Amino acid sequence: MSEFITYEKFATVPELKEMVELLEANNIPYELEDDVQVFDASFANIQHHRDYRIKLLPSDFDRATELRNNAVLSELDKIDPDYYLFGFTDEELIDLISKQDEWSPFDFQLAQKLLKDRGREISSQKINELKEERIEELSEPEKHDTFWIGLGYVFAFLGGLIGIIIGYYIISSKKVLPNGERIYTYSDLDRKHGTRILLIAITAIIIGIAFRIINAV
């Protein structure tokens, strides 16, 4: 059964409310949370300095992104000519489009419009290809982190709780792709190290407790 996972964070309440209204208008189920507790969907008594998270079902990620992109189309002709994207080269605009997960829906759509105005329109097929390439890029596991793995082993042999925390984190850490898919952050090899760190740390703690009990008798 699918679970709701974080789709995006919003720093301001107006942006959050705009997204909520878009989801409700299109019958997309969602959950709201802030950085402290479960979010009050009534928007009553909320603080403006928190990060507010909208959580969606993974199957609705692409649809929500498409709706957000379409919602800003009417704003493109009202843009200030001094807007910073006008200073981007064609290559920079293409790079922006390929990494739309790092940019706002407005910037993503404006980049396409600017390229079209310059005679370098990017087709929907090409955008989909760029999106697939981006997903493949983001699907790559994090680079092997010798420092943290080594530190994990040190704390594990010392019998510290930190060893358990590091081991468990390496084993279980996941990241969310722009299409809603959740994958493990670290490679299979690193996760094997995480398992060893966790087991060593637990064993060391058990041995330490056993020695204390024996010495106390």
Side-chain angles (χ1 to χ4, degrees):
M1 182 177 179
S2 296
E3 62 176 331
F4 286 90
I5 57 178
T6 299
Y7 170 74
E8 187 163 342
K9 295 180 181 180
F10 295 86
T12 67
V13 175
E15 290 177 327
L16 177 68
K17 291 183 71 173
E18 183 178 342
M19 184 64 189
V20 166
E21 290 171 357
L22 183 65
L23 294 172
E24 291 181 344
N26 291 276
N27 298 314
I28 296 179
Y30 64 90
E31 289 182 356
L32 295 174
E33 291 182 359
D34 63 20
D35 58 356
V36 176
Q37 60 186 358
V38 176
F39 193 86
D40 178 5
S42 67
F43 295 97
N45 301 317
I46 57 180
Q47 301 180 25
H48 291 256
H49 65 278
R50 294 178 178 171
D51 284 331
Y52 302 102
R53 295 186 292 273
I54 285 188
K55 306 178 79 174
L56 302 178
L57 295 172
S59 57
D60 288 325
F61 269 52
D62 285 340
R63 185 182 174 205
T65 298
E66 183 179 1
L67 288 171
R68 293 181 71 198
N69 288 336
N70 292 336
V72 301
L73 287 174
S74 61
E75 303 174 20
L76 297 182
D77 293 328
K78 307 173 186 177
I79 186 66
D80 189 317
D82 292 328
Y83 194 70
Y84 68 98
L85 284 192
F86 284 96
F88 277 36
T89 65
D90 291 353
E91 289 69 27
E92 288 173 331
L93 292 174
I94 293 173
D95 183 67
L96 184 159
I97 291 171
S98 70
K99 299 176 180 177
Q100 63 169 300
D101 54 287
E102 297 181 353
W103 299 82
S104 69
F106 181 84
D107 285 345
F108 174 68
Q109 294 287 39
L110 180 58
Q112 294 178 67
K113 182 178 185 301
L114 292 177
L115 286 171
K116 182 178 180 179
D117 292 343
R118 297 176 185 180
R120 294 197 60 180
E121 181 176 6
I122 296 184
S123 66
S124 298
Q125 180 180 352
K126 181 60 177 178
I127 292 176
N128 287 333
E129 291 175 359
L130 291 173
K131 181 179 178 181
E132 291 176 2
E133 291 174 3
R134 178 63 170 168
I135 294 295
E136 290 180 5
E137 176 186 345
L138 294 175
S139 297
E140 292 294 321
E142 296 292 326
K143 293 183 179 180
H144 182 73
D145 196 329
T146 305
F147 173 78
W148 280 108
I149 291 176
L151 194 64
Y153 276 114
V154 170
F155 281 110
F157 281 110
L158 291 175
L161 181 61
I162 296 178
I164 291 178
I165 294 173
I166 292 176
Y168 180 76
Y169 178 77
I170 294 173
I171 295 170
S172 62
S173 177
K174 290 185 176 182
K175 56 184 176 181
V176 180
L177 301 179
N179 62 0
E181 182 182 358
R182 295 185 70 188
I183 62 173
Y184 285 109
T185 303
Y186 296 97
S187 66
D188 290 341
L189 177 60
D190 285 349
R191 292 175 63 236
K192 287 179 181 178
H193 281 296
T195 300
R196 295 190 189 103
I197 291 170
L198 181 62
L199 293 176
I200 292 171
I202 292 174
T203 302
I205 289 175
I206 292 174
I207 293 174
I209 293 173
F211 271 114
R212 290 189 185 96
I213 294 175
I214 293 172
N215 291 333
V217 174

